[in-house]
Amino acid sequence: MIEIKGLVKTFPDKRVIDGITVDIREGELFSVIGPSGMGKSTFIKCLIRLLKPESGQIVVDGTDIGSTTNEFTLAKVRRSFAYLFQEGALFDSLTVFENVSFGLKYLTDIPKSDYPKIVKEKLALVGLKDVEHLKPAELSVGMKKRVSLARSIAFAPKYILYDEPTTGLDPVTTGMVKDLITDMRAKLGITSVVVTHDMKLALDISTRVAMLYNGKFVEVSEPPKFRQSPDPAVREFMRISHLGTGDAAQ
Amino acid sequence: MKYYISEAVGRGVLGLAEALGSAALMLRSVLYWLFSSRFELSETIKQAVKIGVDSITVTALTSFFTGMVLALQMGHSMKNLFNEPMYVGTMVAFSMLKELGPVLTSIVVAGRAGAVVTAEIGTMQVTEQIDALYTLGTNPTRYLLVPRYIAFMIMLPLLTVFADFIGVAGGCLVGVVKLGVSPAVYMDDIYTYLGVSDFMHGFLKTFFFAFMIATVSCHKGLTTKGGAEGVGKSTTEAVVISMVLVMVLDYFISALLVAVGV
């Protein structure tokens, strides 16, 4: 379970996260939506402490990593997380095989001889085959994202953080990624946090949706209730996402 | 006007203090992981090849022609003064071993390998690959910086020794072909007037240069911001700073080595 209490993150010119308090429960699929530039990526980067918040607590399975400077505590907590980066963040100098097996080498005790089987299996799960020998530069944007997803799930994490998982993907791949995110939760019980500006995706797959606006969660609720939210920011975002206002959606 | 000048000076001082502070923190982390972690052998070998082996050609060309021009200038000066090209071997070897070998090789390595390191780490930084390392259980200092530090510290001294030999050989070629000095006399001049301490003077300096180039290149890479434009800017800054610092450090380390009798 991830408990977030009074999270504040500021950049020199802006307070991006302004005292967020929320619990992300075991096994749930929690989505954070909001317009671009509102701090959604900043929020999940704080969860895994890729960014250090100014104040607040981030308690992951009982360990507060909000303000710790202990690298070992951070490394230990990060081991239970996988992170799907917006642009994939594949290592350019490594092949697809080396990228997908990277986490296996550093996060597990699985013997090297098992890597080919696991890599093949995870790549098949994201709809790729015979790409193990390719370098990231030889892949399309969609393929990079799928390889990145295979890398994220290869070491069986407890939590997965998805940063704009469907941005830049074609509709077929978007559907595949959507199914994969729901499967991760349904079959493996992985707790997922999805950050997206795709309102439809968030409402379709999530157990709870949070709307980030001006540094705060202005609405946190289950999708049916979210659709009925009276909050003006939510209603406006629903309208521009062509999902109608709360009333119309009803 | 005064306000703008003082603001600019203030920003500059703050920027320098911030850069030095973050470089010091990076160094602390490098030293920690250097002595307390599993050794990334394959990554270190890969970097040694990139930094050292790939710099051999340009180092050889630079030092060979430097040795040649040294011999030519010294030989003609001696001819003008004493009517004979005396001590060409001594002067070429002395200059190459103590100064030009280490300094030129360091500048070549800073310009070639240092730029590669900054561009590589900088690109990883702006494309979130450094963050990805954290999420995959790997500390970037351990995986990226330590192998590069080791590679610089091993390969730059080796390249310098190679450059010393090539430079002396270049001088010998000009001495024999253009100035009419026999190879035996050229070599005898070297053996008679140069000692091990002369070699060590130049050789020891390269460790300081290697450490400095690794620090500047890695730090500039890690602090890259702003996409492709930022990578280009960091790379240029890393090369310029490294080259200037090679010159500055050269004086102070030479003075120190002279003071301790090396």
Side-chain angles (χ1 to χ4, degrees):
Chain A
M1 182 171 176
I2 307 170
E3 299 156 80
I4 299 148
K5 292 170 194 163
L7 190 71
V8 173
K9 176 67 193 168
T10 57
F11 289 117
D13 55 341
K14 196 179 177 189
R15 179 174 274 227
V16 181
I17 306 289
D18 190 11
I20 286 178
T21 297
V22 72
D23 290 345
I24 297 165
R25 301 160 201 152
E26 292 282 313
E28 85 167 324
L29 207 163
F30 185 87
S31 290
V32 179
I33 59 159
S36 297
M38 275 292 158
K40 302 187 297 293
S41 297
T42 302
F43 173 71
I44 54 166
K45 280 188 177 172
C46 285
L47 290 191
I48 195 171
R49 270 294 304 277
L50 291 175
L51 289 174
K52 191 174 185 294
E54 267 65 43
S55 62
Q57 288 181 304
I58 302 159
V59 184
V60 180
D61 298 329
T63 308
D64 182 10
I65 58 165
S67 56
T68 186
T69 51
N70 188 325
E71 280 293 325
F72 291 102
T73 306
L74 284 176
K76 198 177 159 200
V77 171
R78 282 184 186 134
R79 278 170 182 263
S80 47
F81 282 91
Y83 193 114
L84 179 71
F85 288 88
Q86 200 167 345
E87 305 291 334
L90 295 176
F91 303 126
D92 296 328
S93 58
L94 305 182
T95 62
V96 167
F97 176 83
E98 289 165 329
N99 264 288
V100 178
S101 60
F102 199 93
L104 298 175
K105 183 180 170 190
Y106 290 100
L107 294 166
T108 70
D109 297 322
I110 296 169
K112 268 187 175 178
S113 54
D114 291 349
Y115 290 2
K117 189 178 149 247
I118 298 170
V119 170
K120 208 178 177 77
E121 193 183 296
K122 302 302 175 192
L123 285 173
L125 209 59
V126 294
L128 292 171
K129 67 173 187 174
D130 300 330
V131 293
E132 288 92 327
H133 61 288
L134 298 177
K135 287 276 183 82
E138 298 169 89
L139 305 173
S140 68
V141 176
M143 286 166 89
K144 277 184 193 171
K145 207 137 197 176
R146 283 188 278 166
V147 172
S148 182
L149 191 52
R151 181 177 72 179
S152 302
I153 58 178
F155 58 93
K158 187 176 176 189
Y159 303 100
I160 302 187
L161 309 177
Y162 300 89
D163 190 357
E164 301 284 4
T166 56
T167 302
L169 300 182
D170 60 80
V172 177
T173 315
T174 299
M176 185 187 281
V177 169
K178 195 170 138 182
D179 292 343
L180 205 65
I181 294 172
T182 42
D183 280 357
M184 287 296 117
R185 175 176 168 264
K187 291 179 185 167
L188 306 173
I190 296 176
T191 307
S192 308
V193 181
V194 180
V195 152
T196 181
H197 59 256
D198 185 343
M199 177 73 96
K200 189 174 183 317
L201 172 83
L203 292 174
D204 282 354
I205 65 172
S206 312
T207 50
R208 276 193 305 159
V209 182
M211 169 88 184
L212 181 63
Y213 193 76
N214 284 341
K216 294 181 188 297
F217 281 164
V218 292
E219 176 73 52
V220 182
S221 54
E222 289 163 8
K225 200 177 161 202
F226 190 90
R227 288 173 188 270
Q228 308 301 324
S229 171
D231 186 88
V234 176
R235 292 167 73 88
E236 175 63 10
F237 199 61
M238 296 265 286
R239 189 186 65 76
I240 56 175
S241 301
H242 305 294
L243 290 170
T245 60
D247 296 336
Q250 193 177 17
Chain B
M1 184 68 180
K2 262 184 188 174
Y3 172 76
Y4 289 119
I5 292 171
S6 57
E7 190 189 3
V9 171
R11 275 183 198 280
V13 171
L14 278 176
L16 182 67
E18 200 179 314
L20 288 175
S22 64
L25 286 174
M26 185 195 81
L27 265 180
R28 188 185 71 166
S29 179
V30 167
L31 292 173
Y32 172 80
W33 286 103
L34 190 62
F35 297 108
S36 62
S37 74
R38 201 171 50 174
F39 190 55
E40 295 283 347
L41 185 63
S42 65
E43 190 58 25
T44 306
I45 292 170
K46 211 191 278 180
Q47 292 307 320
V49 171
K50 262 189 199 173
I51 291 165
V53 180
D54 293 354
S55 301
I56 284 179
T57 314
V58 65
T59 304
L61 281 170
T62 310
S63 51
F64 190 67
F65 282 98
T66 304
M68 283 172 75
V69 79
L70 270 177
L72 193 71
Q73 299 282 20
M74 300 291 182
H76 279 289
S77 299
M78 285 298 175
K79 258 187 175 176
N80 289 339
L81 283 171
F82 304 111
N83 212 24
E84 200 183 333
M86 295 160 68
Y87 305 122
V88 174
T90 311
M91 284 185 283
V92 169
F94 193 83
S95 308
M96 287 304 302
L97 266 59
K98 289 192 100 165
E99 281 302 323
L100 295 176
V103 169
L104 287 180
T105 308
S106 299
I107 286 176
V108 164
V109 168
R112 214 206 66 82
V116 170
V117 165
T118 306
E120 207 170 25
I121 297 177
T123 304
M124 290 184 77
Q125 180 67 271
V126 298
T127 56
E128 297 183 308
Q129 291 176 53
I130 303 274
D131 284 345
L133 280 174
Y134 280 116
T135 66
L136 291 165
T138 311
N139 188 294
T141 305
R142 172 188 155 188
Y143 184 73
L144 294 175
L145 306 195
V146 170
R148 282 163 177 79
Y149 265 82
I150 294 172
F152 270 115
M153 298 292 281
I154 292 173
M155 298 316 286
L156 185 57
L158 289 179
L159 276 174
T160 302
V161 174
F162 173 71
D164 290 346
F165 277 108
I166 296 288
V168 169
C172 186
L173 182 72
V174 168
V176 173
V177 175
K178 290 276 289 181
L179 304 168
V181 180
S182 81
V185 171
Y186 183 87
M187 293 313 290
D188 189 56
D189 279 351
I190 297 173
Y191 288 129
T192 308
Y193 296 105
L194 260 77
V196 175
S197 70
D198 294 309
F199 166 75
M200 290 308 290
H201 182 96
F203 186 67
L204 288 176
K205 284 197 281 195
T206 59
F207 290 98
F208 293 92
F209 295 158
F211 189 77
M212 182 275 295
I213 294 168
T215 303
V216 171
S217 308
C218 292
H219 183 253
K220 277 287 165 192
L222 283 178
T223 51
T224 299
K225 282 176 189 162
E229 191 190 353
V231 175
K233 196 175 162 219
S234 290
T235 307
T236 309
E237 284 176 2
V239 172
V240 171
I241 292 171
S242 295
M243 284 181 177
V244 171
L245 283 182
V246 165
M247 299 299 181
V248 175
L249 271 184
D250 185 41
Y251 173 77
F252 288 105
I253 297 164
S254 296
L256 180 75
L257 291 172
V258 167
V260 296
V262 180

